[in-house]
């Protein structure tokens, strides 16, 4: 094997090792995210640079959460094994039961995504509002459970440890960018539902 081929192989092996390290770190962050409690969420969905939908969320724990689509009179709530809907955030109607296999399916979807990630990047940091975050990035394309082709950037606070923000940009023809910001909130009050 010539010197150029050896150098190319070394670069490829180094890139593969770095990508594996990034995927392992991304796996840990996604696992942490799924266990975060007492978190407020703000989601902005944009098309062609214009915000077309904003959603607020409150996560008490992995089986108690509320989401409000702002300006649409639509709320959803999960309390244990039951899903509810509301048009005012006060009166709740049962809509369906939680899929008993949802946790296993969510883990399988995450593992499928991790196994098919490309262009992973880690090792950078960025300051947002005076706070430094570790930056992780990856691309992911799949046909299951629905067609997706996205570039995602995650901003992680290693001191907390806490996932602060994700930005996902769809590369499909419909386009769109989703910015999700997470904020700790120990004062979340979860409504009582029947």
């Amino acid at each position: 094997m010539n010197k150029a081929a050896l150098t190319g192989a070394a670069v490829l092996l180094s890139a593969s090792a770095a990508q594996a390290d990034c995927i392992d770190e991304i796996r840990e962050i996604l696992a942490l995210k799924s266990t975060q409690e007492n978190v407020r969420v703000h989601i902005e969905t944009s098309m062609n640079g214009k915000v077309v939908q904003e959603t607020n969320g409150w996560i008490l724990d992995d089986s108690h959460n509320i989401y409000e689509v702002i300006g649409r009179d639509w709320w959803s709530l999960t309390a244990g094994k039951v899903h509810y809907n509301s048009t005012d955030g006060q009166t709740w109607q049962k809509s369906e039961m939680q899929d008993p296999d949802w946790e296993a399916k969510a883990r399988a979807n995450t593992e499928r995504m991790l196994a098919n990630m490309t262009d992973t990047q880690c090792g950078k940091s960025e300051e947002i509002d005076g706070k430094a975050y570790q930056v992780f990035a990856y691309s992911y394309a799949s046909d299951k459970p629905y067609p997706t082709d996205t570039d995602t950037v995650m901003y992680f606070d290693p001191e907390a440890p806490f996932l602060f923000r994700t930005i996902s940009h769809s590369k499909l023809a419909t386009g769109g960018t989703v910015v999700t910001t997470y904020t700790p909130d120990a004062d979340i009050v979860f409504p009582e539902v029947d």
Side-chain angles (χ1 to χ4, degrees), residues 41 43 55-59 65-69 74-77:
V41 183
I43 305 166
T55 304
N56 284 325
W58 299 266
I59 300 171
N65 56 66
I66 308 167
Y67 289 92
E68 170 201 12
V69 179
W74 188 87
W75 298 66
S76 70
L77 177 147

Side-chain angles (χ1 to χ4, degrees), residues 99-112:
D99 180 345
D101 298 327
W102 76 269
E103 288 179 286
K105 289 177 181 176
R107 278 193 301 273
N109 284 339
T110 298
E111 286 303 318
R112 181 172 40 251

Side-chain angles (χ1 to χ4, degrees), residues 40-192:
R40 277 185 291 123
V41 183
H42 184 77
I43 305 166
E44 284 187 351
T45 303
S46 301
M47 301 291 287
N48 301 315
K50 180 181 177 186
V51 175
V52 295
Q53 180 171 294
E54 288 187 74
T55 304
N56 284 325
W58 299 266
I59 300 171
L60 188 63
D61 58 42
D62 68 345
S63 60
H64 293 84
N65 56 66
I66 308 167
Y67 289 92
E68 170 201 12
V69 179
I70 299 170
R72 302 260 174 103
D73 297 325
W74 188 87
W75 298 66
S76 70
L77 177 147
T78 301
K81 298 180 180 181
V82 184
H83 293 285
Y84 298 83
N85 290 325
S86 175
T87 57
D88 60 9
Q90 304 292 320
T91 309
W92 300 94
Q93 301 295 320
K94 288 182 184 177
S95 60
E96 61 184 328
M97 297 299 291
Q98 177 82 291
D99 180 345
D101 298 327
W102 76 269
E103 288 179 286
K105 289 177 181 176
R107 278 193 301 273
N109 284 339
T110 298
E111 286 303 318
R112 181 172 40 251
M113 181 179 72
L114 288 161
N116 292 293
M117 281 181 181
T118 60
D119 303 322
T120 59
Q121 299 174 31
C122 55
K124 295 182 180 179
S125 65
E126 187 173 324
E127 191 173 295
I128 300 173
D129 296 330
K131 173 79 176 163
Y133 294 94
Q134 290 180 341
V135 180
F136 297 84
Y138 61 88
S139 296
Y140 174 68
S142 178
D143 290 328
K144 295 180 181 180
Y146 49 82
T148 184
D149 188 0
T150 60
D151 290 330
T152 298
V153 179
M154 301 190 310
Y155 298 86
F156 179 69
D157 177 359
E159 293 175 10
F162 190 79
L163 177 61
F164 166 65
R165 179 173 289 158
T166 62
I167 301 174
S168 293
H169 175 71
S170 174
K171 296 186 283 187
L172 298 177
T174 52
T177 300
V178 178
V179 178
T180 306
T181 302
Y182 303 90
T183 307
D185 186 349
D187 299 321
I188 292 174
V189 177
F190 200 80
E192 292 186 19

Side-chain angles (χ1 to χ4, degrees), residues 26-41:
I26 291 168
R27 175 182 280 110
E28 289 176 16
I29 293 168
L30 293 176
L32 175 70
K33 176 184 168 255
S34 70
T35 62
Q36 291 183 151
E37 299 181 350
N38 298 304
V39 177
R40 277 185 291 123
V41 183

